[in-house]
Amino acid sequence: MKSLKFAAAFAVAFAGQAMADPAEGVWKTQVDDGAYAHVTIKTCGAAICGTISRTFNEAGEYKSPNLGKQIVRSMKPVGGGKYEGKVWRPSNNKIYIGKIDLAANSLKLAGCIAGGLLCSKQTWTRIK
């Protein structure tokens, strides 16, 4: 009887709290055009979105004009650690079909054209 009361109390205490998406966190991008970034991924409605939170080049951290801009856009989970949506590439200011394949602390991001047939890929590493 005590365990039933505990279970009921637990359910009430956590009712309405959404589970965190496994992609949420801070990710380090690969170097692209001599720079890399830290991207903070959070839920945005039924999707995930990622915003550039820090930028680095060969001299160290710097204040890029891309700070605060959304690079991962409306990526919706499609199952098996995969997401589909849009991705923005700062170096050419273009938006591509985006795909993510998430596995623990590794995030494989693809920006694609031609309906997803031709893709440029990066592997990001979770920082926190």
Side-chain angles (χ1 to χ4, degrees):
M1 188 64 140
K2 279 187 176 181
S3 62
L4 184 58
K5 286 181 183 178
F6 176 76
F10 183 83
V12 169
F14 291 98
Q17 288 188 3
M19 296 293 290
D21 188 284
E24 284 188 77
V26 180
W27 297 85
K28 178 183 175 186
T29 69
Q30 280 184 228
V31 175
D32 188 14
D33 293 331
Y36 69 94
H38 289 178
V39 175
T40 302
I41 293 182
K42 297 179 179 179
T43 56
C44 54
I48 58 168
C49 298
T51 303
I52 299 172
S53 49
R54 296 176 76 184
T55 51
F56 303 84
N57 60 21
E58 61 279 347
E61 188 169 6
Y62 75 106
K63 291 194 183 268
S64 164
N66 297 321
L67 280 169
K69 293 187 178 176
Q70 196 175 79
I71 190 168
V72 174
R73 300 177 176 194
S74 300
M75 289 277 194
K76 294 184 178 173
V78 294
K82 296 183 185 323
Y83 298 76
E84 294 177 353
K86 302 280 183 193
V87 62
W88 171 65
R89 185 171 184 203
S91 64
N92 64 5
N93 196 31
K94 291 191 177 185
I95 296 173
Y96 297 94
I97 296 168
K99 299 178 183 182
I100 288 177
D101 190 357
L102 179 67
N105 293 322
S106 177
L107 182 152
K108 293 181 182 183
L109 178 76
C112 307
I113 59 172
L117 296 175
L118 300 171
C119 301
S120 178
K121 299 177 182 179
Q122 279 199 354
T123 299
W124 295 1
T125 306
R126 186 186 300 274
I127 296 172
K128 54 181 170 175

